[in-house]
Amino acid sequence: MIEVQNITFSYRDKSRPIFDNFCLKLEQNKVYGLLGENGTGKSTLLYLLMGLLRPNKGRIMVDGADVSRRQRSTLQQMYIVPEEFDLPQMQFTDYVETYRPFYPTFSNDILHRCMEEFHLPLDVRIDQLSMGNKKKALMSFALATNVRYLLMDEPTNGLDVPSKKQFRKVIATTMTEERTLIIATHQLHDVEALLDHVLILQDSQLLLNATVTDLCEKYTFDVRSNDALTDDVLYTERIPQGNATISLRQAEEEETPLNLELLFNAVTSKNIQDL
């Protein structure tokens, strides 16, 4: 478990803190979607969770250890795929041989399956790849580390449509009961089918901290005509097909898939009190 305990954090050139007395618990065996507008602290939170940034106050505990101490045993169970990164001038096989020994749970089988799914050869020169293919190679290595806590910052940025489908497949097929995956993203449709839990950040606070199961049990996400906009509708957006709506789910209604973008807009608009 990751426990964020009353942290305050601000950058030196910013007078206003990014987080102020912020708390959060992240459990194992879940895929979290970390959502928020630009500047709400999504990437900052990921770096704090990794111990790459230190809170001004409070602490972050990973399985009972303070992550800011950067203990080897803690870091061996954590990995982050940043939004932007550089890779060294070498073949991918050499990269793997260089960094694999640090991770005791590394799986060659997962590595091979991910690279095959992404249609990338293992002996490719990673410095000569496009940014999208560099991201796929790094995500393959990240998944192969088999760490307990995997963090990804905008993983689908720079990926084309087939690659986004491949991304969802490798995530779905490599998740285990021991792993926690935290995905910070603006590309909501790319990840909504993967998520177990939704976190929405705004103004240093969590506007929403809820499981997908609870959300789909409580609300219905559907498209209605103007005539069908009844009093049970909590939020609506006009779309070419009619009105995309969120309403309280009635006992006799079937469960509908989560519309993550609609949910995000409803929560961040703060126009309704029931979400």
Side-chain angles (χ1 to χ4, degrees):
M1 177 184 288
I2 296 179
E3 295 182 86
V4 181
Q5 301 177 349
N6 305 101
I7 67 166
T8 297
F9 177 81
S10 60
Y11 292 102
R12 291 182 178 180
D13 58 342
K14 303 289 185 181
S15 58
R16 183 179 179 183
I18 304 295
F19 296 105
D20 187 9
N21 201 35
F22 182 80
C23 297
L24 178 64
K25 285 187 179 181
L26 301 170
E27 300 177 353
Q28 289 182 199
N29 190 25
K30 291 185 182 296
V31 180
Y32 287 90
L34 179 60
L35 317 178
E37 299 173 1
N38 291 333
T40 56
K42 299 187 303 297
S43 298
T44 298
L45 182 58
L46 293 187
Y47 282 100
L48 284 163
L49 296 179
M50 281 293 300
L52 297 170
L53 294 174
R54 293 187 178 187
N56 306 118
K57 295 180 182 178
R59 61 181 182 172
I60 298 173
M61 308 297 290
V62 178
D63 293 337
D66 189 336
V67 72
S68 65
R69 297 179 61 185
R70 305 281 293 166
Q71 295 175 317
R72 181 185 180 94
S73 59
T74 301
L75 298 182
Q76 285 177 324
Q77 291 300 325
M78 305 186 75
Y79 196 94
I80 186 169
V81 178
E83 181 179 8
E84 298 180 358
F85 55 87
D86 290 317
L87 292 175
Q89 298 180 8
M90 60 171 64
Q91 287 188 322
F92 186 62
T93 49
D94 295 330
Y95 182 89
V96 172
E97 289 302 313
T98 300
Y99 296 103
R100 176 175 56 186
F102 185 75
Y103 300 98
T105 54
F106 194 93
S107 170
N108 286 317
D109 177 61
I110 292 177
L111 179 70
H112 292 169
R113 284 193 282 130
C114 290
M115 291 293 282
E116 182 177 353
E117 182 63 37
F118 283 132
H119 305 307
L120 290 174
L122 286 168
D123 60 354
V124 68
R125 292 254 333 165
I126 50 177
D127 57 302
Q128 296 177 1
L129 292 173
S130 67
M131 191 60 215
N133 282 335
K134 285 180 180 178
K135 182 165 286 189
K136 289 187 278 187
L138 187 60
M139 286 193 293
S140 296
F141 180 85
L143 290 164
T145 61
N146 237 351
V147 293
R148 190 172 299 161
Y149 303 104
L150 179 57
L151 287 59
M152 293 186 171
D153 193 4
E154 299 291 355
T156 59
N157 273 6
L159 300 186
D160 57 21
V161 173
S163 297
K164 291 179 180 182
K165 180 180 178 181
Q166 294 163 350
F167 165 77
R168 289 190 290 270
K169 182 176 180 180
V170 298
I171 294 297
T173 57
T174 58
M175 279 296 294
T176 67
E177 292 184 358
E178 293 78 26
R179 172 171 285 175
T180 298
L181 175 58
I182 307 163
I183 304 174
T185 185
H186 290 102
Q187 311 297 324
L188 305 187
H189 291 308
D190 293 345
V191 302
E192 64 185 355
L194 296 172
L195 302 184
D196 300 307
H197 204 107
V198 180
L199 304 168
I200 298 181
L201 280 173
Q202 191 177 73
D203 298 328
S204 303
Q205 300 296 325
L206 278 173
L207 290 186
L208 183 70
N209 182 357
T211 68
V212 171
T213 298
D214 287 345
L215 290 167
C216 291
E217 285 180 353
K218 187 174 182 180
Y219 305 109
T220 296
F221 302 85
D222 61 2
V223 177
R224 301 189 184 189
S225 65
N226 289 337
D227 294 338
L229 293 178
T230 52
D231 292 340
D232 64 322
V233 173
L234 303 173
Y235 181 80
T236 182
E237 287 183 9
R238 185 70 180 170
I239 59 174
Q241 297 80 13
N243 300 280
T245 66
I246 301 175
S247 57
L248 288 173
R249 184 183 171 199
Q250 305 302 313
E252 69 279 5
E253 289 183 321
E254 293 187 3
E255 186 174 299
T256 58
L258 174 68
N259 185 327
L260 193 57
E261 182 174 322
L262 192 66
L263 176 71
F264 178 84
N265 291 339
V267 172
T268 55
S269 69
K270 299 181 181 179
N271 288 330
I272 54 178
Q273 302 301 317
D274 293 276
L275 282 171

